[in-house]
Every structure is written in C-alpha cells, then in structure tokens.
Amino acid sequence: MSRVRVLVVALIALAVVAFFTLGGQRYFSFEWVKEQQAAIQAYYDAHVWQTALAYFLVYVAVTGLSLPGAAVMTLAGGAVFGLLWGTVIVSFASSLGATLAFLASRFLLRDWVQTRFAGYMQGINEGVKKEGGFYLFTLRLIPAVPFFAINLVMGLVPIRTWTFYWVSQLGMLAGTIVYVNAGTQLARITSLKNILSWELIGAFLLLGFFPLIAKKVVDAVKARRVYARWQKPARFDRNLVVIGAGSAGLVAAYIAAAVKAKVTLIEKHRMGGDCLNTGCVPSKALIKSARVVSQMKNCKSYGLKNASVEVDFAAVMERVQRVVQAVEPHDSVERYSGLGVECLRGEARITSPWTVQIDGKTTLSTRAIVIAAGARPFVPPIPGIGTVDVLTSDNVWQLRSLPRRLAVLGGGPIGCELAQAFARLGAQVTQVEMLPRLLPREDVEVSALMAKQFTGEGIAVLTGHKALRVEAGTLVCEKDGREVRVEFDRLLCAVGRVANTKGYGLEELGIPLTKSRTVETNEYLQTLYPNIYACGDVAGPYQFTHTAAHQAWFAAVNALFGGLRKFRADYSVIPWATFTEPEVARVGLNELEAKERNIACEVSVYGIDDLDRAIADGVAHGMVKVLTVPGKDRILGATIVGEHAGDLIIEFITAMKHGIGLNKILGTIHIYPTLAEANKYAAGVWKKAHAPQGVLRQVERFHAWMRG
Ligand SMILES: Cc1cc2nc3c(=O)[nH]c(=O)nc-3n(C[C@H](O)[C@H](O)[C@H](O)COP(=O)(O)OP(=O)(O)OC[C@H]3O[C@@H](n4cnc5c(N)ncnc54)[C@H](O)[C@@H]3O)c2cc1C
C-alpha cells in the first residue's frame, strides 16, 4: 500500500475514534433522532411560513447547485409538512431548482458542447426537437437517471425553458408523492418496533417498485402513441408471422411451433436463405474441394512421389450444388410443416402492426411479427462497375468455368475464403483491400499470418489499395497516390452485406433503421412497434448463422411470451470463424479491441508450431492467443489460428459462457495427441507466467534441506 493510502487510512481511523470518544454514538440513537424531529416540529408549529420558506429556499439551492441530498430532503419534507403540503412544496422547489441547474448548464456549457461535439449533437438535437418534451417526461417519471444529470444534460440541448419546467414538474409529481409519503411514514415511528409497521413497509415497497411501475406506464404510453394511427383487429388468425425462411426465420418459426403457437413462415425465394443456398453451405463445400487440391499438390511433403490433380471446375461447382441439395431437407417446407409451422411461399409485406399481406393478395392477421429478411451483398458504387458482370456471393455459385484471372474486392472473411478457394482451384487471384491488412477485425499478427499464407499460395495481396474505377477488364486502384491497374476476367465483390429493409412495409410503418442501415431494435429485439421483432442479418450487429439463430430464440420467445416476461438478447459470448487455411476463430475480445476499449488484459500465446499432433499432420503453424483479466484466470477472449480453429475454439466459448477460467482448462485431461491440446498449453503459458516465485524459492530450499 502506498504511503499516501496508509496516511488516508490512518486519518479515517483517527476520525472514527475521535467521533466515538467525543460521544458521537448518541447521534445513532433512535431517541436522538426523535428529539430532533420533535424540535423541528415544534419550531414548525410556531413558525409555519418561515419554516416552509426556509425549507423551500434550501431545497432550491441544493437542487439548483446540483448538490447531493435532494432525496433525503424530500423524505424530510414529508416528515415535517405531511403528504399534501410536503408534496406541494417539494414539487415547486425541485422544479425551480432543476430549472436553475438547467439554465446554468445552458449558459456555461451549451455553446461549447454543441460546437465541440457537433457530430454527435446533431442527431440528439433533432430527436429532442421532435420528441424532447415526451423524452424528458419519461426520464422524469422513471427515476433511473439521476435528477441532477437530467437537469445538466437537458441544458445542453434545444428544449425551451418553459417546456423543461412544466414537463419536469409534471413528470416528477408521481415520484415526489411516493417519496414524500415515505417521509410521512418515517415520521410516524414512535418506537423501534414501529419500523415493521405495514404502513412503513408499504411506503418503502412503493418507493422500491415505483421505477418499475413508472417504466411499465411509460412503455404503455409509448406503445399507445406508436399504435395510435392503426386499427387493431378484434382477433388474430395467428400468434406469429415470420418473414423470411433463412437461419433466423427458421429458428423463430420452429420455437413458436414447439411451444404450440400458431405460426406462419413466409419465404419469397428459397427455404434456408443465404446460409444454405449462397452462404455457409456452398462456400464450405467449395473450400473442401479447394483444400483437397491443395493437399494433393502438396503430396511430396507427406512422402508421396506424385499425385496428379486436374480440376474440373464445373464438376466442383456441381458438387457444391449436390451438397446444398443434401442439406436442403433440413430447411425444407416438408420438415417445418411436420414440426407444425405453416410455410407459405410469396413476398410478404407488413401492412399494419398486426397484418401481413402475401404477394399483394392474402392478408394474415397476427398478434406478433418477426422480421428475418436477411441481407444481400453490397456492390460499391465505383465508377464503371455497372459495365461488368460483377460476381457476388449471390451469383458466384452459378459459375461453371473457372475465371483465368479473378480480382477479389474485399479482404474480410468472405473475400478471403473465396479468394483462397479460387486460387487453389487454379485461378490467378488478385485480392484488393482498402485497409492496410486482410481480416482487419482480427489482431495484426493474424492478418500477417494470413497474408503470408496467401502470398505463399500465389495470391497477389494488394492491401492499402483503394478501388477507383473499373475500365474494360481492369480494376484501377490507388495506392499511396499512384494508380495500380489490376487486369481481370471476372471481378468478385465481397465488401460487405447490407440488410434488406426496403419494399416490405418498414417505410410505411415508419420503423427506423440504425446508422449501419439495419432495422433498429431494442435489447429485446423489438422494433419501434413492441409486437414487431427483427433478428438475424436484417437486425445485426453480427452477420452469422449462429447469431441469427441465437437472436431468433429471443425474438420468438419475447414475441409470444413478452407480456409475461421478456428476455434481453445476450451478446456476452459471441464466437465466429473464417474458414480459410489456416482457419481463424475467435470468441470475445482480441488485443486490438481491448486496446480500443481501454480494457486492461494479459495476453498468453501458445505457438501451434510446437504441438505434436500439428507437427505429425504437417499443419504446424498458427497460435492460440488468450486474453485474461490481469492477475486472474478469467478469460476475456481467445483467438485461434490453425487447423480446425473453428472447432477448437469451442472450449473457450464454453469456458467464457460458464465462467470457467484457465486453471480449470489446465486441470482438464486433453487427449494426446490432439490439436485440442493447444488450448491446454495456452492455459499452461498463462500458468507459468503466474507461478508463485516466492513460494517456489521456499520449496526449492525445502528440497535442498531434504537432500541433507
Ligand atoms: C459466402 C458466405 C459465406 C458465409 N459463411 C458463413 C459461415 O461460415 N458461418 C456463419 O455463421 N455465417 C456465414 N455466412 C453468413 C450467414 O449466411 C448469414 O449470417 C445468415 O444466413 C443470416 O441469416 P438470416 O436468416 O438473417 O438471413 P437470410 O439467410 O438472408 O434469410 C432471409 C430470407 O428472407 C427472405 N425474404 C426477404 N424479404 C422477404 C419478404 N418480403 N418476404 C418473404 N421473404 C423474404 C429472403 O428470401 C431470405 O431467404 C456467410 C455468408 C455468405 C454470403
């Protein structure tokens, strides 16, 4: 402990001793409190107006200067003035004090904040102009945000002073009554036995439950406002209608059917959505063929003299389709109908918060709706891009002849997976990424490993290259102020995916989007309309099949049972993998994010080049990198680069989800020789760094002594 801290502790101890030595304990006695109360009451009875005025002025000063103590003063107000007058005085004093604090904040800080944070303030200003009064009212009614903070923050935004005053007074009235009432009950205690009186317990229960009750009231008021322009049907045909039969929609519909709700799933295109038809499944099938080619070409390193390999690209792509067909039954109409889901084909359109129209004809009424409309590849508006037949993850599966020269735009997971697969199948691939490295969300050394692997496989990796325009068969990029020309036969765009938000009623219902153009939802996955939910790629922020399914559970359960209990979507442990070779898998934080978010962590790295099984398999490359809380074995995140990283990461996902630390992973038997041992060795790296050196020195002495 530092000397300053020791001094502070000593001073506090001294003050405590002095307090009790001088008889301070009498202030803790019930009798003392009652004496003070009686004295105040006597003064009040003799000087009614003076007492009320003095209390009023002190209250205004405390709140106007944003000093702590308003809650205690309110209780005291109830104790002295009773429920009616206590409420009247506190209500006016708190509103006046709040307005003074508001004006001070406005006078001193508003111009500076508005100029300094102009970007952030623009949206807030617009929101306050539109909804300011109602927003303030809800903040006042639900005492979740401290009173003084609301005053100061509201001073910075464009709300009129008079509006601030009266909305504050109205919004705080219910809370004031509850507090003043608790004060009056406190004043009635005549002996310690009365503390357990029903009146007092009731008053404090009300105090405790008030924020919850207020929140329910505000939610109900908000819902009324949102639904005001719509005619609610008297009864509903269905409990739930799900729009889109991709990963999210299928799970939402399945959950609903499993709990015996009447659910309809509407799909305009193909059951299974992106994942089955144009995403995970075909990409992994293509990657497998490409990997076989790579292994065969690498046969000499396994002691095989030669293995001739000739790629029949059309046959590879036919196999991809066969794999899709083989998985198709899992997502089929037959299977889901059998599970109790009504599956309808057609384009869904939300026509009111409770009605969905199919292909402009049939209209279904439903108590709740889940939007699971997915996303589509984004094609950037680069000049000239419209002149070429661009490949995306949507149409690349129709190719039957291998492009000789393939330019891949985008260095994210999809770009990397496809670039490597096409290169291995024989295309001359140039990968163009605007940012300085591939897989920019991962740690720097992960990107470096990937770039080294790709370059070694003959892929031209052009990071830090910005695509400027497309000219007949050439992608013109810019790197450090000079133009770089990339000749191609086909151009594959993999620069991200945009949510499908147009053409099915969101605009008409006024359902807002986020800055990333996904459907805006709250933590329960509710949109602006509490009975309309969104999940999967259309809602973000993650774009994976497993996160879509995860969200779908919350959306479906909340949609069906939200009236009883709602569940917040839990994003505490989100894993993902990029299925390149080597694979990259991650859960939780990486070092980059920990730095960005200023989260202190320790890093333990185990190099897979040292792992027996990896050496035997000829895949001795990559690493296991684990982030832990400093001085503790609690895992904040893990990244694995290497063979089967996507499978190996499960151990860390489970550990994080269930609060298991590295000590326990280290203490678990891992089968020898497996790749999974790498996880245990990473835990060992952490343990070694935390070996208790002092204890070990003593033990060493003990052994020396034992040897005689
Ligand atoms: C090449 C590629 C590889 C990928 N690899 C992986 C991977 O390895 N692992 C992973 O986790 N994720 C992967 N993904 C991402 C994954 O595919 C998506 O995150 C997932 O499919 C999202 O599911 P969803 O249900 O939200 O949307 P989608 O699967 O897109 O489903 C939305 C469905 O809604 C339908 N629809 C839209 N509007 C309407 C309407 N008005 N009426 C009726 N139907 C409508 C669409 O036709 C579509 O079928 C990959 C994606 C791509 C492109």
Side-chain angles (χ1 to χ4, degrees):
M1 205 190 280
S2 73
R3 291 172 77 181
V4 181
R5 282 198 183 139
V6 172
L7 194 71
V8 172
V9 171
L11 280 175
I12 293 172
L14 200 71
V16 172
V17 172
F19 178 82
F20 285 105
T21 317
L22 298 173
Q25 61 270 35
R26 70 175 183 279
Y27 298 118
F28 292 144
S29 71
F30 182 73
E31 289 69 28
W32 184 84
V33 174
K34 287 312 285 179
E35 271 166 36
Q36 302 310 308
Q37 191 199 344
I40 295 171
Q41 196 63 49
Y43 183 83
Y44 171 56
D45 292 341
H47 311 88
V48 174
W49 287 105
Q50 291 92 323
T51 314
L53 187 65
Y55 173 85
F56 183 88
L57 292 177
V58 174
Y59 202 115
V60 171
V62 165
T63 47
L65 295 170
S66 303
L67 300 175
V72 175
M73 283 203 68
T74 311
L75 290 172
V80 176
F81 304 110
L83 184 58
L84 177 64
W85 284 109
T87 302
V88 172
I89 299 170
V90 170
S91 174
F92 280 95
S94 58
S95 308
L96 194 62
T99 309
L100 290 177
F102 162 91
L103 287 172
S105 155
R106 173 158 291 186
F107 179 69
L108 296 173
L109 294 171
R110 184 167 70 168
D111 291 348
W112 180 79
V113 171
Q114 286 286 353
T115 324
R116 176 82 177 71
F117 303 102
Y120 294 108
M121 294 308 288
Q122 196 186 349
I124 300 176
N125 291 343
E126 277 164 18
V128 169
K129 264 186 206 149
K130 218 166 72 187
E131 289 267 284
F134 181 69
Y135 182 57
L136 174 63
F137 183 78
T138 61
L139 286 178
R140 288 301 195 199
L141 194 62
I142 309 168
V145 183
F147 167 79
F148 77 94
I150 301 172
N151 305 337
L152 299 183
V153 171
M154 280 289 156
L156 308 175
V157 297
I159 185 167
R160 286 171 55 217
T161 308
W162 170 240
T163 310
F164 177 84
Y165 175 85
W166 75 258
V167 172
S168 292
Q169 185 151 22
L170 199 66
M172 290 189 295
L173 191 60
T176 302
I177 294 173
V178 172
Y179 266 83
V180 171
N181 177 48
T184 60
Q185 294 306 325
L186 274 177
R188 288 201 187 127
I189 301 176
T190 49
S191 75
L192 279 176
K193 271 191 245 145
N194 292 146
I195 287 183
L196 290 179
S197 74
W198 285 114
E199 290 82 357
L200 191 69
I201 292 171
F204 275 84
L205 278 179
L206 198 59
L207 206 63
F209 282 115
F210 178 70
L212 295 177
I213 299 166
K215 175 139 182 19
K216 287 264 174 237
V217 171
V218 167
D219 285 350
V221 172
K222 275 187 185 163
R224 268 185 84 92
R225 281 160 50 99
V226 169
Y227 291 117
R229 68 187 167 108
W230 304 101
Q231 182 71 39
K232 189 174 180 180
R235 56 174 304 281
F236 305 96
D237 305 330
R238 279 133 182 103
N239 299 94
L240 189 65
V241 165
V242 180
I243 300 175
S247 314
L250 288 169
V251 173
Y254 168 71
I255 303 271
V259 294
K260 305 293 173 204
K262 188 160 186 211
V263 53
T264 299
L265 176 65
I266 309 168
E267 171 55 54
K268 67 173 175 183
H269 195 38
R270 287 200 278 175
M271 294 287 285
D274 252 10
C275 184
L276 171 63
N277 301 294
T278 55
C280 331
V281 176
S283 63
K284 268 74 247 177
L286 184 75
I287 286 168
K288 180 66 192 181
S289 294
R291 183 175 267 238
V292 172
V293 174
S294 163
Q295 282 180 340
M296 290 177 80
K297 282 187 179 163
N298 199 18
C299 67
K300 285 209 173 81
S301 69
Y302 292 97
L304 312 175
K305 241 184 190 162
N306 55 50
S308 86
V309 49
E310 197 182 329
V311 175
D312 178 348
F313 184 73
V316 167
M317 295 307 261
E318 287 306 328
R319 174 183 176 273
V320 167
Q321 285 315 311
R322 284 201 303 280
V323 170
V324 171
Q325 281 157 18
V327 180
E328 234 165 36
H330 302 171
D331 297 350
S332 63
V333 168
E334 293 70 28
R335 174 161 182 242
Y336 277 80
S337 304
L339 291 168
V341 177
E342 179 188 39
C343 300
L344 299 179
R345 196 189 164 85
E347 180 145 14
R349 185 181 185 85
I350 306 174
T351 46
S352 88
W354 303 280
T355 48
V356 177
Q357 204 174 58
I358 306 174
D359 287 338
K361 295 175 215 142
T362 329
T363 295
L364 312 177
S365 67
T366 173
R367 192 165 263 285
I369 298 170
V370 169
I371 300 169
R376 62 185 186 284
F378 172 64
V379 178
I382 302 168
I385 203 160
T387 60
V388 289
D389 186 9
V390 178
L391 290 171
T392 65
S393 59
D394 269 1
N395 61 9
V396 70
W397 314 110
Q398 284 143 27
L399 275 185
R400 289 297 176 269
S401 62
L402 183 71
R404 193 171 67 80
R405 295 167 307 173
L406 178 72
V408 176
L409 194 55
I414 295 177
C416 284
E417 286 184 2
L418 293 178
Q420 190 181 46
F422 272 90
R424 288 177 161 190
L425 292 168
Q428 201 181 307
V429 175
T430 306
Q431 193 175 10
V432 178
E433 165 58 54
M434 189 167 72
L435 295 171
R437 53 199 186 86
L438 297 177
L439 299 180
R441 288 180 67 185
E442 305 301 341
D443 277 341
V444 178
E445 66 270 39
V446 177
S447 304
L449 272 168
M450 196 56 64
K452 190 171 161 217
Q453 174 79 20
F454 275 27
T455 316
E457 292 192 16
I459 300 171
V461 178
L462 303 184
T463 49
H465 282 63
K466 184 177 176 196
L468 290 181
R469 58 186 184 278
V470 177
E471 289 171 359
T474 308
L475 175 67
V476 184
C477 310
E478 187 241 89
K479 161 87 175 164
D480 300 333
R482 63 188 175 83
E483 284 195 353
V484 177
R485 300 175 72 81
V486 177
E487 314 280 323
F488 64 81
D489 296 311
R490 296 303 302 262
L491 173 65
L492 173 71
C493 236
V495 292
R497 299 166 51 70
V498 278
N500 293 321
T501 56
K502 292 213 161 68
Y504 58 94
L506 299 188
E507 301 94 328
E508 291 79 354
L509 266 84
I511 293 179
L513 304 182
T514 63
K515 277 193 190 135
S516 334
R517 315 300 298 159
T518 52
V519 174
E520 188 176 289
T521 57
N522 63 11
E523 64 267 55
Y524 304 106
L525 297 169
Q526 287 170 304
T527 65
L528 175 71
Y529 296 86
N531 73 321
I532 303 183
Y533 293 74
C535 55
D537 282 8
V538 78
Y542 303 99
Q543 291 187 324
F544 304 110
T545 288
H546 45 275
T547 48
H550 178 69
Q551 286 182 324
W553 185 92
F554 289 94
V557 169
N558 288 339
L560 295 169
F561 302 108
L564 304 170
R565 176 157 180 215
K566 286 202 296 267
F567 296 85
R568 281 195 180 87
D570 171 15
Y571 299 124
S572 54
V573 184
I574 298 288
W576 63 82
T578 301
F579 295 91
T580 42
E581 190 173 352
E583 281 180 15
V584 177
R586 171 129 81 94
V587 56
L589 282 184
N590 65 2
E591 220 179 337
L592 195 77
E593 287 170 358
K595 276 198 188 111
E596 274 167 12
R597 288 154 62 181
N598 230 346
I599 297 175
C601 64
E602 281 174 12
V603 180
S604 308
V605 180
Y606 171 74
I608 294 180
D609 50 341
D610 198 40
L611 186 71
D612 293 4
R613 180 57 187 267
I615 296 169
D617 285 0
V619 289
H621 49 238
M623 58 165 187
V624 178
K625 183 172 177 182
V626 190
L627 271 63
T628 42
V629 174
K632 300 210 166 103
D633 73 338
R634 188 158 76 79
I635 304 164
L636 293 171
T639 300
I640 304 182
V641 183
E643 187 84 346
H644 296 306
D647 295 302
L648 300 185
I649 198 85
I650 305 299
E651 186 162 14
F652 291 110
I653 303 172
T654 312
M656 285 183 72
K657 175 82 189 162
H658 300 287
I660 296 168
L662 288 183
N663 275 317
K664 290 214 167 119
I665 290 185
L666 189 62
T668 305
I669 300 175
H670 288 58
I671 294 171
Y672 179 85
T674 55
L675 295 173
E677 277 188 304
N679 294 342
K680 181 172 166 165
Y681 291 139
V685 170
W686 175 86
K687 188 74 184 175
K688 210 169 163 196
H690 290 84
Q693 298 303 335
V695 176
L696 288 176
R697 270 194 299 276
Q698 299 304 327
V699 175
E700 194 178 16
R701 274 194 206 129
F702 167 74
H703 288 310
W705 176 73
M706 287 291 280
R707 288 195 300 270

